[in-house]
Amino acid sequence: MRVLLPYRDPFTHAPLWSALRAHTIAGLERHDPDTGAHTRVVNAAHGPALVTVVVRPEKRHVEAHIVPAHPADVGELTAIVRRWLDLDADPLAIDAALGRHPELASLVTLRPGLRRLGSVDGFETAVLTVLGQQVSLAAARTFGARLVAAYGRPVHGEFRAFPAPEALADRSPEELRSAIGLTGARARTVHALAHAAADGLRLDADTEPAKFRAGVLALPGIGPWTADYLTVRVLGDPDAFPADDLVLRRALGVGKGSEAAALAEAWRPWRAYALFHLWTAEAF
């Protein structure tokens, strides 16, 4: 099923698509560098769907090809994709607000309409974020691919769905450590996260931010940076801001998270977009 998802100009989409490519998890996703088409498994009410997205800037829409488990899931999947790619943002309002600040003005001019990268599934994003703690992006992708290969359910040919919380909660931390190649502490964090999600911890976009943050901070091995990062990615909070992020502090030329937070006070309520501008500037 082909669905056209309009967005409001401007939309500097290259950094967003670069992030999709850089974080692709083998088995779960595939990125075509020639066409820019990104394909991945997305869970919906009736089961896993296969979704391919590509930007059509000349037509001001993202073209999505959806293979749903059931036709009734198309509306839900469309909403998930829109949140994932931040297609409902109002770039003119955001750029006007951030462009008034000298630290951000040149970045906004260079990349108008920059979007935030969201999430198609809060549990998936939380687990992959834990796997990426204190390791390189390449190592994080390797861990993610091993997890999907070991515990993901085969769907749509060579693709696999990300495992449900129950599937990981039923395994021991020792098994997770061995299968994925994690440290013991990291395996225990993944296991605790899976148990909490299976027992009702809400990790979806509709969760109240304070409750979401408190819930993940209660888990072993998850600190403020991870909680703030997930608030940006999973909740899509436009003002969420992981002030202690190393790349962010380097971009701002400050040594402490408190200094980054103080600078960012003037950027409210769009600090998450400022964050992506600063991250992008450091990456390119």
Side-chain angles (χ1 to χ4, degrees):
M1 184 174 294
R2 178 171 170 263
V3 180
L4 305 182
L5 307 174
Y7 56 77
R8 284 173 278 191
D9 274 335
F11 182 12
T12 299
H13 69 272
L16 184 61
W17 252 248
S18 178
L20 293 177
R21 180 177 68 251
H23 291 84
T24 298
I25 302 298
L28 179 69
E29 304 171 276
R30 182 176 63 213
H31 191 91
D32 187 330
D34 296 323
T35 66
H38 190 85
T39 303
R40 62 155 298 141
V41 179
V42 179
N43 288 315
H46 293 87
L50 195 65
V51 177
T52 299
V53 291
V54 63
V55 183
R56 303 295 186 200
E58 70 284 359
K59 297 180 179 178
R60 291 190 296 178
H61 66 237
V62 168
E63 184 176 319
H65 294 265
I66 300 174
V67 184
H70 190 283
D73 289 340
V74 172
E76 177 189 359
L77 290 163
T78 298
I80 290 172
V81 172
R82 294 195 69 87
R83 287 197 303 268
W84 173 36
L85 303 178
D86 198 18
L87 298 182
D88 292 318
D90 183 352
L92 293 178
I94 296 166
D95 288 359
L98 295 181
R100 292 195 295 265
H101 303 285
E103 307 93 341
L104 303 172
S106 63
L107 304 183
V108 172
T109 299
L110 184 62
R111 300 182 183 92
L114 185 71
R115 300 310 207 259
R116 296 171 294 105
L117 177 61
S119 167
V120 301
D121 180 89
F123 176 68
E124 173 195 306
T125 301
V127 171
L128 294 178
T129 299
V130 169
L131 297 184
Q133 290 174 339
Q134 299 179 335
V135 299
S136 68
L137 180 56
R141 289 176 58 178
T142 297
F143 292 151
R146 288 174 183 167
L147 183 148
V148 170
Y151 304 112
R153 180 160 63 92
V155 293
H156 302 290
E158 74 273 27
F159 289 93
R160 287 176 175 266
F162 196 82
E166 294 77 8
L168 299 182
D170 286 343
R171 309 292 176 171
S172 68
E174 292 74 21
E175 179 183 333
L176 295 176
R177 180 191 59 77
S178 177
I180 305 171
L182 303 174
T183 65
R186 197 64 41 78
R188 288 190 291 274
T189 298
V190 171
H191 190 252
L193 176 59
H195 255 295
D199 288 344
L201 175 65
R202 290 190 59 190
L203 298 169
D204 55 64
D206 296 325
T207 309
E208 197 275 322
K211 187 174 183 179
F212 177 93
R213 197 172 185 278
V216 295
L217 280 173
L219 300 173
I222 293 184
W225 179 88
T226 301
D228 290 338
Y229 176 79
L230 291 175
T231 304
V232 174
R233 291 284 313 280
V234 175
L235 300 191
D237 183 344
D239 200 41
F241 192 71
D244 274 320
D245 182 77
L246 177 62
V247 176
L248 169 68
R249 288 190 281 116
R250 185 169 66 227
L252 290 174
V254 300
K256 298 179 180 179
S258 58
E259 295 175 278
L263 274 174
E265 274 299 307
W267 307 339
R268 289 183 181 272
W270 307 114
R271 293 184 304 170
Y273 288 91
L275 172 72
F276 272 86
H277 271 292
L278 292 162
W279 275 348
T280 303
E282 287 293 299
F284 284 86

